Amino acid sequence: MTRLVVVGNGMAGARLVSEVRARDRHVKVTVFGAETWQPYNRVLLSNVVAGTMTPEQVRLLDPAWYADHSVTALPGVEVVAVDRETQAVITAGGRREPYDVLVLATGSRAVVPPVPGAARAVTFRTLDDCRTTLEAAATARRAVVVGGGLLGVEAARGLAGRGLPVTLLHLAGHLMDRQLDAEAGLVLGETLAGLGVEIRTGVVVEEILDEGVRLEGDETVEADLVVLACGVRPVTGLAGDAGLDVARGVVVDDEMRTDDPSIFAIGECAEHRGTVYGLVAPAWEQAAVVADIVTGTDKTSRYRGSRLVTRLKARSVELAAMGETHLTEDDAEVVRFSHRAAGTYRKLVIRDDRLVGAILLGATDAVGNLTQLFDRGGPLPGDRAGLLFPGVSGGAVAESPVRMPDAAKVCQCNNVTKGQIRACWESGARDVDAVAAATRATTGCGGCRDAVEGIVGWLCEQEGVSA
């Protein structure tokens, strides 16, 4: 019997365990998690901060699942060393757990900037961070979030959703500068401002004080609560100490295997072909590949990399960005529409008649169709406006269930197609929750929920049944 040990019980590790059990009930599985929580969906933490979801609602697996599937889960037990010679992991308490196959899914940790007073702030990365933030927010009069990337925007929106005045500080000239161009960042900032978040870009934090944040130039931004959302860094110490090849992340090949053939790495700690992916969909794709190989279900399974789609779906803020969003008319064909008063910005980046990038902010009815075109890399229809406004000018309307092919991918995080949703519906799943339970659609970033609801509603309407 193969002994599989998984170090890390977050989104990648938990997914691997469930993928392995879906393929083989006989592999002996032990999973260690440094956090005491059962595995949870980190993507939805801003909803916990905002109070629209509870910690229980973002949980991925519960203790009963582990018992029912004969998996030994050890939350709150940290692995501190890997003995490659004897093939065993060693915990902080001295326990030795032997393995035939070891998978590192250690994830990332929050970056804490080297500024005086940083210990006074809280990070935004874990459920424990959320608990600390909520305790502080209960008595705070003002909050500051440092970092205007995806995590910072989510944290600021979550706190503002609780009625707390929030100032969002960002070093770059516009928000989410890695994913968005300057105009999209401006529109996003104006949208957040309308929701109670004051935006300050191009500022340098010099010190975190008891009474707020001191900026370069000696200006102080007052706050009782300071949240750091300054990015994440792969957790690679365990792999490095074990002598594995580590660059920015743990270096793996197309099998997600390290330079030790008995050790794999997946998720945010893994570096594949020079890239460390910080989103959930690649981690879950990697987990499926390793599960195929470890169980022998498909020894030819390989991970070839992911085409990234960043989704932000905080309350009242909808955003999708994919590919090469920063290219201009000098480098590619660019089609854009901006309506700042409505908080809407849409941009297509096209090269050689292929969609290589897109930004959709505000109403995102075109996301499904554009994501499919971006994923497949196929030729585009001549009517570019129809891509930005499906159904308005006779262009592509793949978001309409009638026109959407069964092969169209609806849930990017879990690779669920319209055809799979249809098959699930025909098997008796008559609402979104039932479809989610069967296919996992909507359980990643949650951005596809409206599309799944539309498909289920359309199917019910066709057959004259109640959704």
Side-chain angles (χ1 to χ4, degrees):
M1 179 186 296
T2 300
R3 297 170 299 180
L4 169 64
V5 171
V6 182
V7 179
N9 200 21
M11 296 186 74
R15 182 57 165 254
L16 172 69
V17 170
S18 64
E19 293 277 5
V20 167
R21 270 296 172 260
R23 292 161 174 76
D24 190 324
R25 290 200 51 97
H26 302 295
V27 174
K28 181 179 184 293
V29 181
T30 304
V31 55
F32 294 89
E35 292 187 66
T36 56
W37 297 92
Q38 296 297 330
Y40 56 87
N41 189 333
R42 207 180 298 277
V43 177
L44 301 176
L45 289 184
S46 62
N47 293 337
V48 176
V49 172
T52 58
M53 298 184 78
T54 65
E56 290 71 29
Q57 289 175 308
V58 301
R59 189 168 58 188
L60 294 171
L61 298 173
D62 58 34
W65 185 92
Y66 292 105
D68 292 343
H69 292 83
S70 302
V71 172
T72 301
L74 300 167
V77 179
E78 182 183 7
V79 172
V80 296
V82 177
D83 185 339
R84 291 170 58 190
E85 186 174 345
T86 64
Q87 294 200 173
V89 299
I90 303 161
T91 70
R95 171 174 175 159
R96 294 181 66 90
E97 185 71 29
Y99 65 83
D100 299 308
V101 176
L102 171 64
V103 179
L104 302 177
T106 48
S108 297
R109 64 169 54 93
V111 171
V112 177
V115 298
R120 296 185 175 96
V122 297
T123 53
F124 182 64
R125 179 65 183 165
T126 68
L127 264 177
D128 284 332
D129 291 338
C130 286
R131 174 178 284 176
T132 302
T133 298
L134 290 175
E135 288 174 354
T139 57
R141 292 164 297 169
R142 289 195 60 86
V144 162
V145 175
V146 180
L150 181 64
L151 284 178
V153 170
E154 289 179 340
R157 178 64 190 105
L159 289 168
R162 304 188 76 87
L164 191 64
V166 181
T167 301
L168 178 57
L169 305 176
H170 190 46
L171 176 63
H174 65 271
L175 298 179
M176 291 184 63
D177 49 292
R178 290 187 179 181
Q179 296 90 3
L180 305 182
D181 62 19
E183 187 169 359
L186 177 64
V187 176
L188 174 60
E190 291 173 344
T191 299
L192 291 170
L195 298 170
V197 180
E198 179 187 358
I199 308 297
R200 297 284 303 276
T201 57
V203 296
V204 177
V205 173
E206 292 278 354
E207 185 177 4
I208 297 171
L209 311 167
D210 287 333
E211 64 274 15
V213 174
R214 182 171 63 82
L215 303 179
E216 187 178 60
D218 270 346
E219 178 189 357
T220 297
V221 180
E222 294 184 3
D224 314 281
L225 168 62
V226 178
V227 177
L228 299 177
C230 303
V232 296
R233 182 173 293 123
V235 176
T236 61
L238 196 64
D241 292 344
L244 297 174
D245 186 9
V246 173
R248 183 170 168 235
V250 184
V251 178
V252 296
D253 60 17
D254 289 357
E255 293 183 332
M256 303 307 297
R257 203 185 298 263
T258 69
D259 50 334
D260 182 326
S262 64
I263 303 178
F264 298 76
I266 61 173
E268 293 183 338
C269 71
E271 180 174 331
H272 175 263
R273 299 189 186 183
T275 299
V276 175
Y277 294 95
L279 298 174
V280 60
W284 286 355
E285 292 168 11
Q286 294 166 4
V289 169
V290 174
D292 283 340
I293 292 171
V294 169
T295 63
T297 304
D298 181 2
K299 290 290 189 180
T300 67
S301 186
R302 298 292 185 270
Y303 178 69
R304 306 297 186 188
S306 298
R307 294 171 69 81
L308 295 183
V309 180
T310 300
R311 294 296 299 264
L312 170 64
K313 201 170 176 68
R315 190 171 54 173
S316 304
V317 185
E318 292 191 48
L319 169 68
M322 61 196 83
E324 301 177 68
T325 57
H326 291 85
L327 295 183
T328 67
E329 284 83 354
D330 294 333
D331 308 302
E333 177 188 348
V334 176
V335 183
R336 76 180 88 218
F337 171 83
S338 180
H339 187 190
R340 288 172 55 182
T344 300
Y345 180 77
R346 302 183 181 197
K347 176 182 180 180
L348 306 180
V349 182
I350 301 165
R351 184 192 289 130
D352 299 327
D353 202 35
R354 302 296 194 271
L355 184 68
V356 298
I359 299 171
L360 295 164
L361 175 60
T364 52
D365 53 313
V367 168
N369 186 46
L370 292 177
T371 301
Q372 295 158 34
L373 292 170
F374 175 69
D375 247 356
R376 298 173 185 171
L380 301 179
D383 179 14
R384 308 305 202 211
L387 293 172
L388 286 180
F389 302 98
V392 173
S393 57
V397 290
E399 288 257 332
S400 165
V402 178
R403 305 284 185 89
M404 185 185 293
D406 277 354
K409 193 184 297 183
V410 178
C411 176
Q412 296 295 314
C413 296
N414 291 287
N415 293 313
V416 181
T417 64
K418 177 200 170 185
Q420 289 171 298
I421 295 172
R422 180 200 290 273
C424 183
W425 186 89
E426 290 173 347
S427 298
R430 290 295 190 263
D431 58 34
V432 174
D433 290 341
V435 170
T439 66
R440 292 176 169 158
T442 76
T443 63
C445 71
C448 65
R449 188 173 183 89
D450 290 346
V452 175
E453 286 178 346
I455 293 170
V456 171
W458 170 71
L459 289 167
C460 290
E461 182 181 330
Q462 298 306 299
E463 297 298 323
V465 299
S466 298

